[in-house]
């Protein structure tokens, strides 16, 4: 079950779709305008518009398609589009599934923690994969987190 997909909020899908739409239109009009532009300066500006639109298109598509978590060679690799970060599994002290927040808290030494936003059906498999790498990791389920109580 490795890798584990990132659980995006619905608004991320809507915003990404809008970005993909607008950047595709930007690429189309940039190429069209660059072909028919009379002045070299205008061609250069349209080419820059096309390149910027294409760059944003790739970033938005990457966030939707390539975001998730992977456990590999003793590390939890966190990927959000083209950005990556990793946590050593041996540094993980505990995993707490916060039911009301729909997140998994990954506790590290020195009272640090990271929230993993994993699809709910993948959480148990993720915990199992971490425990295979580091059997000392504690796991717990919490139905009401301190952060959700602050909101009330």
């Amino acid at each position: 079950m490795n890798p584990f997909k990132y659980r995006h909020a619905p608004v991320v899908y809507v915003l990404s779709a809008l970005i993909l739409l607008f950047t595709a239109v930007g690429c189309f009009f940039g190429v069209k305008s660059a072909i028919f532009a009379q002045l070299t300066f205008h061609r250069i500006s349209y080419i820059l518009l096309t390149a910027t639109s294409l760059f944003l298109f790739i970033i938005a598509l990457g966030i939707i398609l390539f975001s998730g978590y992977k456990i590999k060679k003793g590390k939890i690799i966190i990927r959000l589009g083209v950005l990556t970060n990793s946590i050593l599994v041996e540094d993980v002290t505990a995993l707490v599934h916060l039911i009301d927040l729909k997140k998994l808290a990954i506790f590290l030494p020195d009272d640090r923690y990271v929230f993993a936003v994993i699809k709910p059906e993948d959480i148990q498999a993720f915990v199992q994969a971490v425990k295979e790498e580091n059997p000392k990791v504690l796991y717990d389920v919490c139905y009401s987190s301190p952060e959700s109580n602050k909101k009330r």
Side-chain angles (χ1 to χ4, degrees):
M1 200 79 195
N2 209 350
F4 305 95
K5 291 295 286 177
Y6 191 89
R7 181 183 51 86
H8 294 289
V11 71
V12 172
Y13 289 112
V14 171
L15 291 175
S16 294
L18 288 173
I19 290 170
L20 292 173
L21 174 70
F22 288 129
T23 56
V25 169
C27 284
F28 172 75
F29 283 115
V31 169
K32 179 181 163 258
S33 300
I35 291 171
F36 296 111
Q38 299 295 324
L39 300 172
T40 306
F41 172 76
H42 289 138
R43 278 200 176 134
I44 292 171
S45 64
Y46 292 132
I47 289 170
L48 287 175
L49 169 71
T50 303
T52 304
S53 296
L54 190 59
F55 175 75
L56 291 174
F57 185 88
I58 292 169
I59 295 294
L61 196 61
I63 287 173
I64 294 300
L65 296 178
F66 302 112
S67 295
Y69 303 87
K70 187 182 283 189
I71 299 166
K72 187 175 180 183
K73 297 181 183 175
K75 291 182 179 180
I76 300 172
I77 300 168
I78 305 164
R79 185 169 182 184
L80 185 62
V82 295
L83 304 174
T84 60
N85 193 6
S86 64
I87 300 170
L88 292 174
V89 175
E90 66 186 34
D91 289 345
V92 176
T93 57
L95 299 170
V96 178
H97 183 188
L98 303 168
I99 300 290
D100 57 342
L101 295 178
K102 299 178 185 170
K103 296 179 182 178
L104 184 70
I106 302 171
F107 286 91
L108 304 166
D110 303 326
D111 294 330
R112 294 179 300 139
Y113 62 92
V114 176
F115 284 122
V117 187
I118 302 171
K119 290 186 176 183
E121 59 269 14
D122 291 344
I123 289 180
Q124 291 302 320
F126 181 84
V127 169
Q128 188 61 36
V130 170
K131 288 182 81 62
E132 286 174 9
E133 292 280 332
N134 184 359
K136 296 178 184 176
V137 172
L138 302 173
Y139 174 66
D140 196 9
V141 176
C142 183
Y143 292 95
S144 178
S145 67
E147 291 178 0
S148 67
N149 290 334
K150 288 179 187 176
K151 294 177 187 176
R152 294 179 190 171

